[in-house]
Amino acid sequence: MPPLLAICGFFLLCGIVLILREQNPWEFYTTIFISGFSSFDEVGSVLFNSTPLIFTGLAVAIGYKGGLFNIGCEGQLYVAAFAAAWVGMHLNLPSVILVPFCISAAMIAGSIWGAVPGFLKAKFGAHEVINTIMMNFIALAVTNFLVISVYREPDQMAPQTSQVHEAARLPRLSNMLPFLSQSNLLDASFLIACLCVLICYIFLKHTRWGYELRLVGNAPEVAEYGGINPRTVTVWVMALSGAIAGLAGVADVMGYRHRFSDGFSSGWGFTGIAVALLGRNHPFGVFASALLFGLFTKVALDIELILEVPRGLFLAGQGLLIIALVCMEGISKRNN
Amino acid sequence: MILDLIPSTLRMTTPLGFAALGGICSERSGIINIALEGMMLIGAYGYVVGAHVSGSAWGGLGIGIGLGIVLALLHAVATITFHAEQIVTGVAINILALGIIEYLVPTKERVPGLPELKLPIIGSYSILVYLLPILMVASHILLFKTPWGLRLCAAGESTEVLKTLSLSRAKWQYFGVILSGILASIGGCFLISDNHRFTEGIIGGRGYVALAAVIFGNWRPLYSVTACLLFGFATSFELTNPWAIPEQLIKIFPYILTMIVLAGLVGRSRPPAALGKMEP
């Protein structure tokens, strides 16, 4: 119930802002509808914008279920994207081998970036929140250094690497689905995201590891009595979370830009927190709320173009939406 | 060469120092404050608007601090009154501040800076540069030597102590969080006062560096501001960069240092015992 309330509040707030701007709020709502749902192409764009958020949302949710706060998704997806781009540039292999190679490289890079704070927590009790924040900045600086000083595309000013090989690219879905126009950006990483949602659901619900993860998240003492070492779980949960966050980098490098481009993520790692929160950390909930945030991203651009409402409105609204959600959660927790 | 670095070091340290003192006030009272970045940003925005409209730097400082308080109040109401998850609220406030700036688009015109004070030998600096060491010592004395500060710290050390003294823990926490809003927004104001105009990404992660300094300095004003001085020196070193060290390497120095200290490999950082805990 609270998530629906928060979403309604969000749209109501937007309407009020529009009235304050002396614009017609109905125009705003209809623009949202047209921009998001009026054709298969629009829906495809929404799904395209949702894809990285599905990954970061799942990453945060998995961490949260294991009692850990991964706000380092941003850094994890950057190192992962770089790893994918590096493999995609340097290995010239057939697609069936190269694509899994790139994806594995990205997941490994992301999981290392996640495992470090996990290890520091397990071994020294250092809070993972601070360390993931620090690792974010380190990831940004390291990839920035690599892309500017070592792997910059020759004779180009832009801070980006050369393109990855043709074989390392994920196909666009418009090649397979006739109702999408050729310019539609939706690519196969969306299918990977859907698969990932299913796997996470089965993993959490029906496997031993998923059980261990939830037990450590809910009652670490009980887990310890049950013969589970919470410290080991902490490390692998952070690694897993980092690996999933890394897939958001894969989506950008292999599905969209076909290269590592500095500053490519518009805060997906942080939006992932909102996505997980709104989806109540359930894989299917995360999927639904990622679609909503994908819609926000897509619509914010159109609203800016058509109604000249700065897209900051959606960002500010997102902030308020999160605050409203955590407040409602806090109240219900206190009342119980 | 080192002497050339002094002015830029002081200018780099000042915004960090104010934000770090703010972080200490909030976290000593038991409320985690990831929102320093957003509070600095809103302070910077307030300064630009206030100084642009009123034509005076003081107007800018006033509005900047005012907006900082508003944002801090939001954090306080959510976390203290409604028991909202403190880290998520902090992240959300940073997003909110960023959204507000993107929505309201501050003017890029030149605004007046705060008055400078010229001292022999040291040179001429904004008054906020001189205010920082004074506030640092003052907050050390206030926090650790007065009943007032001991109560604030007690709120952060235990969820029960203040209740047994029939004092309100929430009241002291509100106080700590609002102080953090004031101080962090002054840090943001300084950046504009020094720069004379708003540029995109002007805060540039300084709120998080300040947070690192709080931890690095073990939640103590004297150590934390010293850590800011170290980080400020590293930043100004990065700007002059005499030995062609990659700038990104210098940039990550505060973060790596903080991770090492937090792991207890060098010294031990001990957060307030009831940091982030609410009474059930």
Side-chain angles (χ1 to χ4, degrees):
Chain A
M1 224 32 218
L4 288 180
L5 228 88
I7 296 166
C8 293
F10 172 82
F11 282 113
L12 205 68
L13 188 84
C14 288
I16 294 171
V17 171
L18 264 281
I19 292 169
L20 290 177
R21 292 173 62 94
E22 295 174 352
Q23 281 175 292
N24 185 352
W26 293 118
E27 220 175 323
F28 175 79
Y29 296 126
T30 48
T31 312
I32 290 182
F33 193 79
I34 293 168
S35 148
F37 305 105
S38 60
S39 72
F40 283 120
D41 270 331
E42 308 287 5
V43 175
S45 300
V46 170
L47 298 182
F48 168 75
N49 281 303
S50 313
T51 306
L53 301 177
I54 298 177
F55 291 125
T56 54
L58 278 178
V60 175
I62 289 268
Y64 199 86
K65 287 267 184 197
L68 292 159
F69 226 130
N70 182 9
I71 49 179
C73 292
E74 194 76 3
Q76 289 146 14
L77 69 90
Y78 266 91
V79 289
F82 195 87
W86 193 90
V87 173
M89 282 189 301
H90 287 82
L91 300 184
N92 201 355
L93 296 165
S95 206
V96 268
I97 307 173
L98 191 53
V99 167
F101 252 49
C102 288
I103 295 178
S104 321
M107 290 182 80
I108 291 169
S111 69
I112 292 172
W113 225 252
V116 169
F119 172 77
L120 290 173
K121 171 153 191 163
K123 178 92 181 167
F124 304 108
H127 205 301
E128 78 278 7
V129 165
I130 305 295
N131 280 328
T132 45
I133 292 176
M134 302 297 140
M135 294 290 282
N136 275 345
F137 285 105
I138 296 171
L140 289 179
V142 168
T143 52
N144 177 266
F145 169 73
L146 288 172
V147 78
I148 285 181
S149 309
V150 191
Y151 292 107
R152 195 203 297 247
E153 189 176 9
D155 308 318
Q156 294 288 328
M157 271 311 289
Q160 57 185 29
T161 63
S162 309
Q163 291 209 320
V164 296
H165 286 122
E166 206 71 53
R169 299 176 191 177
L170 294 171
R172 291 221 181 137
L173 294 188
S174 54
N175 299 337
M176 295 167 246
L177 304 173
F179 47 81
L180 288 178
S181 71
Q182 282 304 309
S183 61
N184 198 290
L185 294 170
L186 186 65
D187 59 82
S189 60
F190 176 70
L191 302 180
I192 301 179
C194 295
L195 192 67
C196 208
V197 169
L198 267 180
I199 294 175
C200 282
Y201 174 76
I202 295 166
F203 173 83
L204 283 173
K205 240 341 195 275
H206 298 293
T207 67
R208 211 193 80 202
W209 300 292
Y211 172 73
E212 287 187 5
L213 180 152
R214 284 182 291 134
L215 196 57
V216 169
N218 282 326
E221 298 87 2
V222 178
E224 200 146 18
Y225 281 120
I228 299 165
N229 185 350
R231 279 171 291 278
T232 321
V233 176
T234 294
V235 178
W236 71 248
V237 169
M238 282 303 290
L240 180 65
S241 178
I244 299 172
L247 288 173
V250 167
D252 193 83
V253 169
M254 296 170 65
Y256 173 42
R257 267 178 251 258
H258 303 149
R259 52 158 57 105
F260 180 91
S261 166
D262 199 36
F264 69 88
S265 158
S266 44
W268 294 330
F270 298 107
T271 311
I273 300 167
V275 170
L277 198 68
L278 193 66
R280 313 215 105 190
N281 300 306
H282 188 286
F284 297 150
V286 166
F287 182 74
S289 77
L291 294 188
L292 183 76
F293 277 92
L295 177 74
F296 285 175
T297 318
K298 159 87 170 65
V299 161
L301 294 171
D302 288 340
I303 293 281
E304 191 171 65
L305 279 173
I306 299 168
L307 299 180
E308 293 177 346
V309 178
R311 73 184 97 156
L313 175 64
F314 277 85
L315 202 59
Q318 232 175 74
L320 287 175
L321 185 109
I322 305 175
I323 295 174
L325 271 175
V326 275
C327 283
M328 286 191 268
E329 214 162 72
I331 294 167
S332 72
K333 209 177 279 174
R334 194 180 44 178
N335 288 349
N336 286 339
Chain B
M1 203 249 356
I2 292 290
L3 279 177
D4 297 339
L5 287 175
I6 291 177
S8 62
T9 300
L10 289 177
R11 287 173 46 224
M12 292 295 155
T13 305
T14 305
L16 293 178
F18 276 102
L21 286 179
I24 291 172
C25 288
S26 168
E27 304 225 330
R28 275 283 172 185
S29 78
I31 301 292
I32 302 169
N33 196 347
I34 309 266
L36 290 175
E37 178 90 0
M39 291 172 179
M40 290 181 86
L41 183 60
I42 208 78
Y45 172 74
Y47 186 95
V48 172
V49 172
H52 185 67
V53 171
S54 71
S56 131
W58 297 107
L61 191 66
I63 303 287
I65 294 176
L67 289 183
I69 293 175
V70 171
L71 216 55
L73 262 176
L74 188 61
H75 189 56
V77 171
T79 57
I80 303 165
T81 305
F82 293 137
H83 289 207
E85 168 63 56
Q86 297 173 4
I87 294 156
V88 184
T89 310
V91 173
I93 284 185
N94 289 337
I95 294 176
L96 173 66
L98 208 63
I100 292 175
I101 305 301
E102 267 189 34
Y103 179 71
L104 294 172
V105 195
T107 167
K108 297 271 163 29
E109 275 175 52
R110 193 185 158 82
V111 291
L114 287 160
E116 298 196 344
L117 201 63
K118 197 174 162 69
L119 284 188
I121 308 166
I122 310 174
S124 175
Y125 295 102
S126 163
I127 47 163
L128 290 180
V129 175
Y130 300 99
L131 185 63
L132 179 64
I134 299 171
L135 270 183
M136 172 185 77
V137 175
S139 53
H140 175 82
I141 295 170
L142 273 175
L143 273 178
F144 301 130
K145 309 284 179 205
T146 65
W148 180 92
L150 291 177
R151 278 173 196 158
L152 187 100
C153 291
E157 290 299 332
S158 144
T159 55
E160 295 298 326
V161 163
L162 288 179
K163 203 189 278 171
T164 53
L165 295 171
S166 48
L167 292 167
S168 159
R169 183 178 186 229
K171 195 186 92 184
W172 286 96
Q173 295 193 313
Y174 260 91
F175 199 58
V177 174
I178 288 169
L179 269 180
S180 83
I182 295 174
L183 288 163
S185 57
I186 294 179
C189 290
F190 173 82
L191 283 169
I192 305 290
S193 160
D194 192 49
N195 223 25
H196 291 289
R197 65 179 84 239
F198 191 91
T199 48
E200 213 159 293
I202 189 159
I203 308 297
R206 282 188 175 85
Y208 293 109
V209 179
L211 191 70
V214 171
I215 297 157
F216 194 58
N218 218 350
W219 288 264
R220 300 176 73 89
L222 298 183
Y223 298 163
S224 292
V225 175
T226 311
C228 290
L229 195 65
L230 181 70
F231 297 166
F233 178 74
T235 317
S236 57
F237 198 76
E238 169 201 323
L239 294 175
T240 41
N241 209 353
W243 299 321
I245 304 171
E247 54 163 327
Q248 297 93 341
L249 206 67
I250 302 172
K251 213 170 249 160
I252 62 177
F253 163 76
Y255 307 122
I256 292 191
L257 220 52
T258 303
M259 289 178 71
I260 293 173
V261 170
L262 202 60
L265 298 179
V266 184
R268 187 91 184 112
S269 83
R270 195 191 71 87
L275 181 60
K277 292 196 179 73
M278 298 310 276
E279 60 267 52

